[in-house]
Amino acid sequence: FVQRLLIWAYSDVIEAWCHARSFDSARNADTLLKQMEQMTHVDQFIISNNKQELDASLVDELNNVVVSSSNNDDDALHTDDIATITATTTTTSKSSKKPISLLFLPSVQDYSNVILAFSQNHNKDRGSIAAAQRANDLLNRMLQLYDTGKWGSKNKPQPLVFNAVITAWSNHNHNNGRSAKKAEAVLNLFENLYFDPTKPQYDFAPDNVSYNAAITAWSNCKEIASVHKA
């Protein structure tokens, strides 16, 4: 009972941070979410329960963001951003214990709140690769949890979350079109999950917000070719 109250407290504070208009709200909420994941051993839960892995090509398409200062000078400007967010939000659990209970796992609302915080205008990381990548990673984590079939039907990822991740990528005006490609990759993932006959649980399709956010991502690019993509 005490442990359940602790998880509820974490959820309440995460939601409070995400509704706050402070510059650090997204990072603070994300730090609490990582602590929840560590306490409930989410990684081991996914490994031990996810019998049907996400399609490898979709995961690669969603997560394949490479930041290399040796290949692109502009990318080097964002390396510190990613390192900062990773250092302040990532904790590794070396325990071999399984989750205390399914009731104690972070909920879809916990993940959604943090994703939305990273995509909102008042977040100080808005427009950075680090913020978009973190939102992207959290979406992937939600899909992995839901695909275990044991997270509960009420924890189904909603269209709002996909749209928030697309928006997070569109907020980053990367002049080589990489972020726009990532936004479109999330849109493609959204479509593929809906049309995949082996995943009937994803019974919602992209909406006008989804496509408009992807179009915005391409329109924010500085390349002439992006006009045709939009």
Side-chain angles (χ1 to χ4, degrees):
F1 178 74
V2 174
Q3 292 166 333
R4 183 67 185 273
L5 288 178
L6 179 62
I7 296 300
W8 282 344
Y10 267 89
S11 295
D12 288 343
V13 178
I14 286 175
E15 185 169 6
W17 273 121
C18 293
H19 290 165
R21 294 287 174 174
S22 71
F23 290 127
D24 288 326
S25 58
R27 293 189 183 203
N28 290 336
D30 193 32
T31 298
L32 292 174
L33 179 60
K34 295 299 294 185
Q35 291 174 1
M36 289 179 71
E37 289 185 324
Q38 183 181 27
M39 287 190 300
T40 55
H41 311 288
V42 169
D43 288 330
Q44 286 205 333
F45 176 80
I46 292 173
I47 293 173
S48 60
N49 291 285
N50 200 349
K51 304 300 182 182
Q52 184 177 2
E53 296 292 339
L54 290 175
D55 186 281
S57 63
L58 296 181
V59 174
D60 288 342
E61 186 178 30
L62 184 63
N63 288 316
N64 186 25
V65 173
V66 179
V67 179
S68 173
S69 59
S70 62
N71 294 331
N72 191 311
D73 291 338
D74 188 41
D75 286 342
L77 299 176
H78 305 283
T79 305
D80 290 340
D81 291 337
I82 294 176
T84 300
I85 286 188
T86 301
T88 57
T89 62
T90 302
T91 56
T92 302
S93 174
K94 297 182 179 179
S95 172
S96 60
K97 296 180 181 179
K98 293 182 179 180
I100 302 169
S101 166
L102 294 179
L103 296 175
F104 301 133
L105 290 173
S107 70
V108 68
Q109 191 62 45
D110 296 322
Y111 286 101
S112 299
N113 279 332
V114 179
I115 289 174
L116 290 170
F118 274 122
S119 69
Q120 289 169 353
N121 293 350
H122 59 268
N123 169 34
K124 77 175 182 180
D125 294 310
R126 177 180 181 266
S128 73
I129 289 180
Q133 182 60 55
R134 183 57 183 154
N136 199 136
D137 291 342
L138 290 174
L139 173 61
N140 187 31
R141 175 59 61 92
M142 291 174 67
L143 296 178
Q144 289 177 320
L145 280 167
Y146 187 63
D147 281 354
T148 64
K150 297 183 179 180
W151 200 26
S153 58
K154 68 178 182 179
N155 280 320
K156 178 191 296 186
Q158 296 299 310
L160 176 67
V161 181
F162 286 87
N163 294 342
V165 176
I166 297 173
T167 298
W169 282 117
S170 69
N171 285 338
H172 178 68
N173 301 330
H174 206 289
N175 59 15
N176 65 5
R178 177 183 300 172
S179 294
K181 292 176 183 176
K182 298 307 300 178
E184 187 172 355
V186 178
L187 177 61
N188 290 338
L189 174 67
F190 197 173
E191 291 178 328
N192 290 336
L193 288 173
Y194 176 69
F195 289 110
D196 188 345
T198 67
K199 295 181 181 292
Q201 67 271 30
Y202 295 101
D203 55 357
F204 45 77
D207 54 20
N208 289 338
V209 176
S210 313
Y211 291 101
N212 286 338
I215 291 172
T216 299
W218 280 111
S219 67
N220 285 340
C221 293
K222 299 178 181 179
E223 294 181 337
I224 296 178
S226 65
V227 177
H228 301 287
K229 288 291 295 184

